[in-house]
Amino acid sequence: MDTRLANTWRLTVNEKRFIETALSSGIRIDGRNPFEYRKLSIKFGREDGSSEVQLGQTHIMGFVTGQLVQPYRDRPNEGTLSIFTEFSPMADPSFETGRPSESAVELGRIVDRGLRESRAVDTESLCVLAGKLVWAIRIDLHILDNGGNLVDAANIAALASLLTFRRPECSLGGEDDLEVIVHPPEEREPLPLIIHHLPIAVTFGFFSSESLLVIDPTHHEEAVMVGKMTATLNANGDVCAIQKPGGEGVLQSVIMQCLRLASRMASDITKKIKDAVETYNTERALRKIKRHPTSITLDGSVNLKEKLNEPSGHNVVNELSRKHLEKPRLASAENASSPGNNGEGESKSSNFGRSSRRDGATSNFVGGAASW
């Protein structure tokens, strides 16, 4: 079932008229301007190669995995890149389980065309042994919530996952140097993918009037618009791909206007993706730092004496406790020497003797040079 057709059935005539009237006045139903993007949020999981992108109400997760396979015969020195999409009924009631729908196939092709035709990923660096083994990179895109404009959100999720993916390092060994050895992360640091540039997909929606043009259409606007176009550009303004799946025709001047807007949006989105990836790499580096607690090793009598002479925290506590104990002892001795306070002095000194013994036991229990 086509997603746009299902959305059209759910919208009433009054809702369609309200959306078109608001757009003709230069106002969208969510309060944005016609050429304004929704709020973009990019998050990453604990594992490398996983991302979570939220564009307004659209929620998509991306996962990147890799495995060693045999290359194609016509390209023995290049790895492969494939994209798979999963439309869950939880994201939209119009999505059906089982066989991929036309919208799912179209979404995967648009994202794949933007990455493959622009050669953003260096596939030659994925070759391990020419004609024998290469890395096959697989991108899985899971639609969690359909809030409109799945193409742009899926493209950002794919790029974010590729930028954080790490593949194991491989080396050749054996007698004839034809044995491939895959090193685990504990032995050698995994290697990131070589990505030359980031192709950003920007989708435009066209309505019945030729002057009505919006960027980043929502779920309800997709049900009203009569056509759409997706332009994939990088931060330098290079056009990587253009996709217009049917609908009404568009003038050349309108297409040039869309490309200018897409070039500006591509620069902003590229900066957001790079900032998010940089933050993730910093957190990843901090997680790898192991902090060991300070421990004392007894290497010998000489080292032990040196460590005993050093002022430690326990020694400072013991010195302070001794000073406080000496002052009451002097005071009790003066009270005992005075003739009028013999009984009181004896009781105070006896009580203080018990407390001093307790304090001495406590100080010995705390630990220090004397207890060793």
Side-chain angles (χ1 to χ4, degrees):
M1 180 187 298
D2 192 3
T3 308
R4 288 181 55 197
L5 185 59
N7 294 340
T8 304
W9 288 344
R10 285 202 297 270
L11 283 180
T12 62
V13 177
N14 292 332
E15 289 176 342
K16 292 181 182 180
R17 289 179 179 176
F18 176 77
I19 294 174
E20 292 178 351
T21 305
L23 289 174
S24 61
S25 303
I27 303 174
R28 304 173 72 170
I29 57 176
D30 54 359
R32 291 183 293 156
N33 297 326
F35 303 141
E36 185 180 354
Y37 228 73
R38 287 176 293 179
K39 183 180 179 181
L40 176 63
S41 174
I42 304 175
K43 299 179 182 179
F44 300 96
R46 299 283 296 182
E47 299 295 333
D48 295 335
S50 61
S51 66
E52 181 179 351
V53 174
Q54 189 165 0
L55 182 62
Q57 298 296 328
T58 303
H59 201 180
I60 296 180
M61 294 187 67
F63 299 93
V64 175
T65 56
Q67 62 177 352
L68 291 172
V69 298
Q70 293 183 355
Y72 295 113
R73 293 183 179 180
D74 55 343
R75 294 183 178 180
N77 299 327
E78 296 183 8
T80 61
L81 179 67
S82 56
I83 298 177
F84 297 88
T85 58
E86 180 182 353
F87 282 47
S88 173
M90 179 182 64
D92 196 319
S94 62
F95 297 156
E96 297 179 357
T97 58
R99 185 178 179 181
S101 60
E102 295 181 1
S103 57
V105 175
E106 179 186 356
L107 174 63
R109 287 179 178 176
I110 295 175
V111 178
D112 181 76
R113 185 180 295 111
L115 292 172
R116 193 185 304 274
E117 296 297 332
S118 63
R119 301 191 67 85
V121 181
D122 188 1
T123 55
E124 294 183 357
S125 63
L126 302 176
C127 179
V128 179
L129 189 60
K132 298 294 182 180
L133 288 176
V134 295
W135 282 102
I137 305 300
R138 173 182 173 133
I139 306 175
D140 291 284
L141 300 174
H142 300 270
I143 312 300
L144 302 181
D145 194 0
N146 179 21
N149 196 10
L150 294 176
V151 176
D152 295 8
N155 180 78
I156 297 173
L159 293 176
S161 301
L162 288 173
L163 288 173
T164 57
F165 175 69
R166 301 289 188 276
R167 63 176 179 86
E169 186 176 356
C170 300
S171 61
L172 300 179
E175 298 179 355
D176 50 358
D177 290 339
L178 295 179
E179 181 182 354
V180 178
I181 302 174
V182 180
H183 300 278
E186 292 79 11
E187 294 182 0
R188 296 188 181 181
E189 181 69 17
L191 302 176
L193 299 178
I194 299 177
I195 300 178
H196 300 296
H197 59 92
L198 300 181
I200 305 298
V202 181
T203 302
F204 298 89
F206 307 103
F207 295 86
S208 56
S209 178
E210 296 181 357
S211 59
L212 290 181
L213 170 67
V214 298
I215 191 173
D216 184 23
T218 60
H219 187 59
H220 296 288
E221 291 173 347
E222 287 181 347
V224 181
M225 63 186 186
V226 296
K228 67 177 181 178
M229 184 185 71
T230 301
T232 305
L233 295 86
N234 56 16
N236 300 326
D238 301 329
V239 180
C240 302
I242 296 179
Q243 174 78 10
K244 190 181 183 307
E248 293 187 359
V250 182
L251 298 176
Q252 181 180 0
S253 59
V254 178
I255 295 178
M256 298 303 298
Q257 180 186 3
C258 293
L259 292 179
R260 287 192 295 269
L261 294 172
S263 177
R264 185 176 58 189
M265 294 304 305
S267 303
D268 298 340
I269 297 175
T270 300
K271 185 179 181 301
K272 293 181 180 179
I273 295 175
K274 289 184 177 180
D275 293 344
V277 172
E278 185 178 357
T279 303
Y280 169 78
N281 291 334
T282 303
E283 296 177 354
R284 181 176 180 272
L286 292 177
R287 287 199 303 265
K288 294 182 63 178
I289 299 177
K290 298 180 180 179
R291 302 184 181 275
H292 300 282
T294 56
S295 59
I296 300 176
T297 57
L298 302 179
D299 299 333
S301 59
V302 179
N303 296 334
L304 180 60
K305 292 178 181 179
E306 293 178 356
K307 291 173 182 176
L308 291 177
N309 294 330
E310 293 179 356
S312 60
H314 297 301
N315 294 337
V316 174
V317 173
N318 292 334
E319 290 295 334
L320 293 175
S321 62
R322 291 193 189 97
K323 290 181 181 179
H324 288 291
L325 288 175
E326 288 175 1
K327 292 181 180 179
R329 286 175 182 173
L330 294 175
S332 61
E334 293 177 359
N335 294 332
S337 61
S338 60
N341 299 329
N342 291 334
E344 295 178 0
E346 291 176 359
S347 61
K348 290 182 180 178
S349 62
S350 60
N351 294 333
F352 182 75
R354 298 191 192 98
S355 63
S356 64
R357 282 193 291 270
R358 294 193 194 99
D359 295 340
T362 305
S363 63
N364 293 332
F365 179 77
V366 168
S371 63
W372 292 353

